[in-house]
Amino acid sequence: MPSAFSSSAARACAAGAFAALLAACSHPITMITETAPPRSTAHLVPKKVAYVMTDAQRDVQVTSPGGAGDRVSYYPYRDLEKSVRDALRAVYRDVIVLRTAGDVKANEAAGVSLVFTPQIKTDSSSSSWVTWPPTSFTAEVSCVVSNAAGAEVARVRAVGNGTADFGEFNGDYGLAARRAARQMTSQLSSEIRRNEKLR
């Protein structure tokens, strides 16, 4: 009769094998897009702003569904940092990056008026039972905006949805993700412009 220990060990081995199988079916993609919202220097808000992005956030890896039962992996903060920066540069004269939002002395020394602290969420799916690249992708960013003293001023949110058909990939397997990133970037800059508290 098998012991409780051997049964537990068998379950642990099975769980490990399942995790290894999932990892083996995870395909790396990138969400980085070279496209940025237009930047008209004549219409920029004459402020210096910052966004917060830590090394720990840049190292966060996410795995989400692809097609054919496989999954895709990517680094949302690292990949979408350019999108956040581009959205801010489309609105403000100067944009810098900070490691933390709460350092009042550092904010004042840098001459920062507003600090954007983004939280990023992503999801993906595919209509294909044969190929693994995602045909649908969602990228969402929610920003708490504070003044230099750390008091909350406003909140802004932007969502990008991207789709791609198998015939469009041509080796560009993150196409749906990058389309979502482009739409998210454009919407974020629009939401910031629309908010009077952020001018």
Side-chain angles (χ1 to χ4, degrees), residues 152-181:
E152 182 176 320
V153 174
R155 296 189 179 216
V156 289
R157 174 178 173 270
V159 179
N161 296 295
T163 59
D165 295 327
F166 176 72
E168 296 181 276
F169 289 129
N170 294 320
D172 186 3
Y173 301 125
L175 182 57
R178 278 195 292 281
R179 285 175 173 172

mmCIF file of all heavy atoms in Angstrom, residues 152-181:
data_model
loop_
_atom_site.group_PDB
_atom_site.id
_atom_site.type_symbol
_atom_site.label_atom_id
_atom_site.label_comp_id
_atom_site.label_asym_id
_atom_site.label_seq_id
_atom_site.Cartn_x
_atom_site.Cartn_y
_atom_site.Cartn_z
ATOM 1 N N GLU A 152 -2.128 63.370 -4.174
ATOM 2 C CA GLU A 152 -2.777 62.925 -5.406
ATOM 3 C C GLU A 152 -3.538 64.078 -6.057
ATOM 4 O O GLU A 152 -4.282 64.803 -5.404
ATOM 5 C CB GLU A 152 -3.738 61.770 -5.125
ATOM 6 C CG GLU A 152 -4.403 61.224 -6.383
ATOM 7 C CD GLU A 152 -5.287 60.010 -6.116
ATOM 8 O OE1 GLU A 152 -4.884 59.144 -5.287
ATOM 9 O OE2 GLU A 152 -6.378 59.936 -6.714
ATOM 10 N N VAL A 153 -3.344 64.209 -7.376
ATOM 11 C CA VAL A 153 -3.990 65.264 -8.148
ATOM 12 C C VAL A 153 -5.108 64.698 -9.012
ATOM 13 O O VAL A 153 -6.184 65.275 -9.146
ATOM 14 C CB VAL A 153 -2.959 65.994 -9.045
ATOM 15 C CG1 VAL A 153 -3.639 66.993 -9.968
ATOM 16 C CG2 VAL A 153 -1.891 66.665 -8.202
ATOM 17 N N ALA A 154 -4.852 63.567 -9.633
ATOM 18 C CA ALA A 154 -5.829 62.976 -10.549
ATOM 19 C C ALA A 154 -5.451 61.526 -10.823
ATOM 20 O O ALA A 154 -4.386 61.050 -10.404
ATOM 21 C CB ALA A 154 -5.871 63.763 -11.855
ATOM 22 N N ARG A 155 -6.340 60.851 -11.559
ATOM 23 C CA ARG A 155 -6.082 59.498 -12.047
ATOM 24 C C ARG A 155 -6.476 59.435 -13.513
ATOM 25 O O ARG A 155 -7.499 59.989 -13.898
ATOM 26 C CB ARG A 155 -6.859 58.442 -11.244
ATOM 27 C CG ARG A 155 -6.431 58.387 -9.786
ATOM 28 C CD ARG A 155 -7.047 57.216 -9.059
ATOM 29 N NE ARG A 155 -6.598 57.171 -7.675
ATOM 30 C CZ ARG A 155 -6.366 56.048 -6.992
ATOM 31 N NH1 ARG A 155 -6.574 54.871 -7.573
ATOM 32 N NH2 ARG A 155 -5.939 56.101 -5.748
ATOM 33 N N VAL A 156 -5.650 58.771 -14.293
ATOM 34 C CA VAL A 156 -5.968 58.598 -15.711
ATOM 35 C C VAL A 156 -5.796 57.123 -16.074
ATOM 36 O O VAL A 156 -4.976 56.418 -15.477
ATOM 37 C CB VAL A 156 -5.085 59.468 -16.626
ATOM 38 C CG1 VAL A 156 -5.451 60.932 -16.498
ATOM 39 C CG2 VAL A 156 -3.602 59.260 -16.333
ATOM 40 N N ARG A 157 -6.584 56.689 -17.047
ATOM 41 C CA ARG A 157 -6.555 55.284 -17.456
ATOM 42 C C ARG A 157 -6.687 55.216 -18.971
ATOM 43 O O ARG A 157 -7.418 55.994 -19.581
ATOM 44 C CB ARG A 157 -7.718 54.530 -16.791
ATOM 45 C CG ARG A 157 -7.898 53.083 -17.234
ATOM 46 C CD ARG A 157 -9.046 52.455 -16.455
ATOM 47 N NE ARG A 157 -9.380 51.122 -16.949
ATOM 48 C CZ ARG A 157 -10.266 50.890 -17.902
ATOM 49 N NH1 ARG A 157 -10.926 51.911 -18.466
ATOM 50 N NH2 ARG A 157 -10.517 49.656 -18.301
ATOM 51 N N ALA A 158 -5.959 54.286 -19.562
ATOM 52 C CA ALA A 158 -6.034 54.089 -21.012
ATOM 53 C C ALA A 158 -5.959 52.595 -21.311
ATOM 54 O O ALA A 158 -5.235 51.850 -20.650
ATOM 55 C CB ALA A 158 -4.904 54.821 -21.719
ATOM 56 N N VAL A 159 -6.738 52.178 -22.310
ATOM 57 C CA VAL A 159 -6.768 50.772 -22.707
ATOM 58 C C VAL A 159 -6.536 50.678 -24.213
ATOM 59 O O VAL A 159 -7.138 51.420 -24.993
ATOM 60 C CB VAL A 159 -8.124 50.114 -22.360
ATOM 61 C CG1 VAL A 159 -8.126 48.651 -22.803
ATOM 62 C CG2 VAL A 159 -8.402 50.222 -20.866
ATOM 63 N N GLY A 160 -5.657 49.770 -24.597
ATOM 64 C CA GLY A 160 -5.421 49.516 -26.012
ATOM 65 C C GLY A 160 -5.777 48.085 -26.359
ATOM 66 O O GLY A 160 -5.457 47.155 -25.612
ATOM 67 N N ASN A 161 -6.486 47.900 -27.470
ATOM 68 C CA ASN A 161 -6.835 46.567 -27.957
ATOM 69 C C ASN A 161 -6.236 46.371 -29.339
ATOM 70 O O ASN A 161 -6.405 47.219 -30.225
ATOM 71 C CB ASN A 161 -8.361 46.404 -28.025
ATOM 72 C CG ASN A 161 -9.006 46.476 -26.654
ATOM 73 O OD1 ASN A 161 -8.779 45.620 -25.804
ATOM 74 N ND2 ASN A 161 -9.789 47.507 -26.418
ATOM 75 N N GLY A 162 -5.527 45.271 -29.503
ATOM 76 C CA GLY A 162 -4.908 44.991 -30.789
ATOM 77 C C GLY A 162 -5.271 43.610 -31.289
ATOM 78 O O GLY A 162 -5.381 42.670 -30.500
ATOM 79 N N THR A 163 -5.507 43.495 -32.584
ATOM 80 C CA THR A 163 -5.806 42.203 -33.190
ATOM 81 C C THR A 163 -4.891 41.995 -34.396
ATOM 82 O O THR A 163 -4.389 42.952 -34.992
ATOM 83 C CB THR A 163 -7.275 42.109 -33.650
ATOM 84 O OG1 THR A 163 -7.538 43.145 -34.608
ATOM 85 C CG2 THR A 163 -8.226 42.263 -32.465
ATOM 86 N N ALA A 164 -4.681 40.740 -34.752
ATOM 87 C CA ALA A 164 -3.873 40.395 -35.921
ATOM 88 C C ALA A 164 -4.303 39.024 -36.416
ATOM 89 O O ALA A 164 -4.585 38.123 -35.613
ATOM 90 C CB ALA A 164 -2.387 40.398 -35.575
ATOM 91 N N ASP A 165 -4.368 38.876 -37.706
ATOM 92 C CA ASP A 165 -4.699 37.592 -38.317
ATOM 93 C C ASP A 165 -3.418 36.835 -38.634
ATOM 94 O O ASP A 165 -2.346 37.432 -38.798
ATOM 95 C CB ASP A 165 -5.502 37.793 -39.612
ATOM 96 C CG ASP A 165 -6.862 38.425 -39.338
ATOM 97 O OD1 ASP A 165 -7.421 38.132 -38.263
ATOM 98 O OD2 ASP A 165 -7.337 39.206 -40.187
ATOM 99 N N PHE A 166 -3.549 35.524 -38.772
ATOM 100 C CA PHE A 166 -2.379 34.688 -39.029
ATOM 101 C C PHE A 166 -1.634 35.150 -40.273
ATOM 102 O O PHE A 166 -0.403 35.181 -40.305
ATOM 103 C CB PHE A 166 -2.797 33.223 -39.187
ATOM 104 C CG PHE A 166 -1.662 32.320 -39.551
ATOM 105 C CD1 PHE A 166 -0.681 32.002 -38.618
ATOM 106 C CD2 PHE A 166 -1.544 31.819 -40.842
ATOM 107 C CE1 PHE A 166 0.381 31.188 -38.964
ATOM 108 C CE2 PHE A 166 -0.486 30.992 -41.188
ATOM 109 C CZ PHE A 166 0.476 30.676 -40.248
ATOM 110 N N GLY A 167 -2.361 35.552 -41.303
ATOM 111 C CA GLY A 167 -1.728 35.973 -42.544
ATOM 112 C C GLY A 167 -0.911 37.243 -42.417
ATOM 113 O O GLY A 167 -0.103 37.561 -43.298
ATOM 114 N N GLU A 168 -1.080 37.995 -41.304
ATOM 115 C CA GLU A 168 -0.360 39.249 -41.117
ATOM 116 C C GLU A 168 0.963 39.082 -40.386
ATOM 117 O O GLU A 168 1.824 39.960 -40.441
ATOM 118 C CB GLU A 168 -1.216 40.233 -40.321
ATOM 119 C CG GLU A 168 -2.498 40.682 -40.984
ATOM 120 C CD GLU A 168 -3.228 41.668 -40.098
ATOM 121 O OE1 GLU A 168 -3.974 41.220 -39.199
ATOM 122 O OE2 GLU A 168 -3.052 42.882 -40.307
ATOM 123 N N PHE A 169 1.152 37.983 -39.682
ATOM 124 C CA PHE A 169 2.288 37.863 -38.780
ATOM 125 C C PHE A 169 3.637 37.966 -39.502
ATOM 126 O O PHE A 169 4.475 38.792 -39.161
ATOM 127 C CB PHE A 169 2.225 36.558 -37.988
ATOM 128 C CG PHE A 169 1.132 36.539 -36.950
ATOM 129 C CD1 PHE A 169 0.245 35.483 -36.886
ATOM 130 C CD2 PHE A 169 0.984 37.574 -36.044
ATOM 131 C CE1 PHE A 169 -0.761 35.455 -35.937
ATOM 132 C CE2 PHE A 169 -0.019 37.570 -35.091
ATOM 133 C CZ PHE A 169 -0.894 36.503 -35.045
ATOM 134 N N ASN A 170 3.855 37.106 -40.492
ATOM 135 C CA ASN A 170 5.125 37.117 -41.238
ATOM 136 C C ASN A 170 6.332 37.147 -40.297
ATOM 137 O O ASN A 170 7.287 37.909 -40.493
ATOM 138 C CB ASN A 170 5.193 38.310 -42.187
ATOM 139 C CG ASN A 170 4.174 38.228 -43.307
ATOM 140 O OD1 ASN A 170 3.939 37.145 -43.848
ATOM 141 N ND2 ASN A 170 3.567 39.350 -43.667
ATOM 142 N N GLY A 171 6.279 36.329 -39.264
ATOM 143 C CA GLY A 171 7.365 36.279 -38.288
ATOM 144 C C GLY A 171 7.262 37.323 -37.194
ATOM 145 O O GLY A 171 8.047 37.306 -36.233
ATOM 146 N N ASP A 172 6.322 38.242 -37.304
ATOM 147 C CA ASP A 172 6.131 39.291 -36.298
ATOM 148 C C ASP A 172 5.062 38.821 -35.318
ATOM 149 O O ASP A 172 3.915 39.259 -35.360
ATOM 150 C CB ASP A 172 5.707 40.585 -36.995
ATOM 151 C CG ASP A 172 5.619 41.767 -36.041
ATOM 152 O OD1 ASP A 172 5.952 41.585 -34.856
ATOM 153 O OD2 ASP A 172 5.222 42.854 -36.481
ATOM 154 N N TYR A 173 5.444 37.950 -34.403
ATOM 155 C CA TYR A 173 4.465 37.244 -33.577
ATOM 156 C C TYR A 173 3.866 38.104 -32.471
ATOM 157 O O TYR A 173 2.860 37.731 -31.881
ATOM 158 C CB TYR A 173 5.105 35.987 -32.982
ATOM 159 C CG TYR A 173 5.616 35.053 -34.056
ATOM 160 C CD1 TYR A 173 6.944 34.629 -34.066
ATOM 161 C CD2 TYR A 173 4.773 34.606 -35.073
ATOM 162 C CE1 TYR A 173 7.417 33.775 -35.060
ATOM 163 C CE2 TYR A 173 5.236 33.753 -36.070
ATOM 164 C CZ TYR A 173 6.555 33.354 -36.056
ATOM 165 O OH TYR A 173 7.026 32.524 -37.057
ATOM 166 N N GLY A 174 4.460 39.257 -32.191
ATOM 167 C CA GLY A 174 3.896 40.167 -31.192
ATOM 168 C C GLY A 174 3.082 41.281 -31.819
ATOM 169 O O GLY A 174 2.831 42.305 -31.168
ATOM 170 N N LEU A 175 2.618 41.084 -33.054
ATOM 171 C CA LEU A 175 1.927 42.138 -33.791
ATOM 172 C C LEU A 175 0.687 42.642 -33.064
ATOM 173 O O LEU A 175 0.466 43.850 -32.936
ATOM 174 C CB LEU A 175 1.552 41.636 -35.190
ATOM 175 C CG LEU A 175 0.870 42.636 -36.121
ATOM 176 C CD1 LEU A 175 1.724 43.881 -36.322
ATOM 177 C CD2 LEU A 175 0.549 41.975 -37.469
ATOM 178 N N ALA A 176 -0.151 41.738 -32.569
ATOM 179 C CA ALA A 176 -1.367 42.148 -31.857
ATOM 180 C C ALA A 176 -1.005 42.932 -30.594
ATOM 181 O O ALA A 176 -1.662 43.919 -30.241
ATOM 182 C CB ALA A 176 -2.222 40.934 -31.508
ATOM 183 N N ALA A 177 0.057 42.512 -29.909
ATOM 184 C CA ALA A 177 0.495 43.197 -28.692
ATOM 185 C C ALA A 177 0.974 44.608 -29.000
ATOM 186 O O ALA A 177 0.666 45.559 -28.274
ATOM 187 C CB ALA A 177 1.609 42.402 -28.019
ATOM 188 N N ARG A 178 1.736 44.766 -30.073
ATOM 189 C CA ARG A 178 2.227 46.098 -30.419
ATOM 190 C C ARG A 178 1.103 47.015 -30.890
ATOM 191 O O ARG A 178 1.132 48.227 -30.652
ATOM 192 C CB ARG A 178 3.332 45.988 -31.465
ATOM 193 C CG ARG A 178 4.686 45.671 -30.832
ATOM 194 C CD ARG A 178 5.820 45.919 -31.793
ATOM 195 N NE ARG A 178 5.793 44.968 -32.894
ATOM 196 C CZ ARG A 178 6.242 43.719 -32.795
ATOM 197 N NH1 ARG A 178 6.694 43.280 -31.632
ATOM 198 N NH2 ARG A 178 6.215 42.907 -33.822
ATOM 199 N N ARG A 179 0.124 46.463 -31.545
ATOM 200 C CA ARG A 179 -1.028 47.279 -31.935
ATOM 201 C C ARG A 179 -1.792 47.748 -30.700
ATOM 202 O O ARG A 179 -2.272 48.885 -30.655
ATOM 203 C CB ARG A 179 -1.925 46.485 -32.875
ATOM 204 C CG ARG A 179 -1.348 46.357 -34.274
ATOM 205 C CD ARG A 179 -2.177 45.480 -35.183
ATOM 206 N NE ARG A 179 -1.669 45.519 -36.558
ATOM 207 C CZ ARG A 179 -2.097 44.734 -37.534
ATOM 208 N NH1 ARG A 179 -3.043 43.825 -37.298
ATOM 209 N NH2 ARG A 179 -1.577 44.839 -38.743
ATOM 210 N N ALA A 180 -1.898 46.883 -29.713
ATOM 211 C CA ALA A 180 -2.541 47.282 -28.451
ATOM 212 C C ALA A 180 -1.729 48.377 -27.771
ATOM 213 O O ALA A 180 -2.286 49.340 -27.226
ATOM 214 C CB ALA A 180 -2.679 46.069 -27.534
ATOM 215 N N ALA A 181 -0.403 48.250 -27.795
ATOM 216 C CA ALA A 181 0.470 49.252 -27.175
ATOM 217 C C ALA A 181 0.318 50.606 -27.858
ATOM 218 O O ALA A 181 0.269 51.649 -27.191
ATOM 219 C CB ALA A 181 1.919 48.792 -27.233
#
